[in-house]
Amino acid sequence: MRHISRIFVDAAHHRGGRTWSPWRIAAVGGLAVLSALLSEGARADEAEAAAVRSIPASVSTVVDAGLWGESGFYRVVVTHDWFEHVNSYVYVQWLSVNEEGQREVEKSVRVKKLSGLVGFVVGDVRVSDESKRSKAVFDVDMYDENTRKKQLARLHVGDVDDVSVQINLVKSLD
C-alpha cells in the first residue's frame, strides 16, 4: 500500500518541486478510490474467513451437486464425533439462492441409514456418474472398522425429503 500511495504522491509533484493543484486533486482522488477498493476487498476476505472459522470442527466433508428448483442445488454434509469411537453422520440439504445471491438452507435431513452406525466410518463423498440434471446422486464411501470391508452407499436425492439410499459391498480393505 505504501508503494502505491508513493506513486500518487510523486505524481502530484512537478519536476521543479512545485506542486500543481490539479495533480494533487487527481492523486488524492485516485488514492481514495484505490484505498476504498482495497478496503472492500479486505472486508470481503475477512467476512469469508469468519464464515469458514464458524464451521463446526465436526464437519469433515461438504459436497454440492445437481439442480433443485429454479435456482437451488443439493448438498451432502458429513460430520464426525469422536468419543471412544468415531461416529459419522450424513445430512442432505436443499439450498436455494436468494435475490442478493446468498445461499440459504431450505431443509436439512439426517440420513438415518448412514448416521451413527456403530463401527462404520463415512469416508469420501462424491457426485456419482449417475447424477442427472434434475436430481443428484452422491456416492458415499463407508468403512466397517470391525470387518475392514469397504461399502459404497449411493444417495439418490430429489425434491425436499426425497432421499433414497442403496448400500453395496465394494471390497475388503485387507
Side-chain angles (χ1 to χ4, degrees):
M1 184 68 180
R2 284 184 179 170
H3 178 69
I4 294 171
S5 63
R6 186 75 217 157
I7 292 170
F8 284 108
V9 170
D10 289 344
H13 292 281
H14 187 272
R15 289 182 195 219
R18 247 179 41 195
T19 303
W20 290 8
S21 186
W23 279 104
R24 179 177 283 172
I25 292 169
V28 169
L31 186 58
V33 168
L34 182 61
S35 177
L37 289 173
L38 291 175
S39 294
E40 184 64 31
R43 272 183 267 155
D45 288 345
E46 289 172 16
E48 182 87 9
V52 170
R53 280 192 303 274
S54 71
I55 297 171
S58 63
V59 173
S60 65
T61 306
V62 178
V63 178
D64 296 343
L67 295 174
W68 172 68
E70 292 179 25
S71 63
F73 57 96
Y74 307 98
R75 177 163 78 184
V76 171
V77 178
V78 178
T79 65
H80 291 100
D81 288 335
W82 294 270
F83 186 57
E84 291 180 10
H85 299 281
V86 176
N87 291 313
S88 301
Y89 299 90
V90 178
Y91 298 86
V92 172
Q93 294 182 321
W94 290 262
L95 286 82
S96 62
V97 180
N98 66 20
E99 288 116 21
E100 292 86 38
Q102 301 292 321
R103 296 176 175 189
E104 297 177 347
V105 176
E106 294 292 326
K107 180 114 186 203
S108 185
V109 174
R110 183 190 294 186
V111 181
K112 292 178 184 173
K113 286 185 178 180
L114 302 179
S115 296
L117 302 175
V118 177
F120 280 91
V121 177
V122 173
D124 292 334
V125 176
R126 63 198 162 279
V127 178
S128 172
D129 293 340
E130 289 187 17
S131 205
K132 295 181 178 63
R133 184 175 174 87
S134 62
K135 100 181 198 180
V137 180
F138 296 90
D139 287 339
V140 180
D141 292 334
M142 298 176 53
Y143 304 97
D144 185 333
E145 294 177 323
N146 299 318
T147 64
R148 301 205 25 92
K149 304 270 185 206
K150 178 180 176 184
Q151 293 185 355
L152 175 71
R154 186 157 279 161
L155 294 175
H156 295 266
V157 186
D159 288 331
V160 175
D161 290 332
D162 180 14
V163 179
S164 64
V165 179
Q166 298 171 338
I167 300 176
N168 303 313
L169 179 65
V170 176
K171 65 177 182 177
S172 173
L173 295 175
D174 291 335

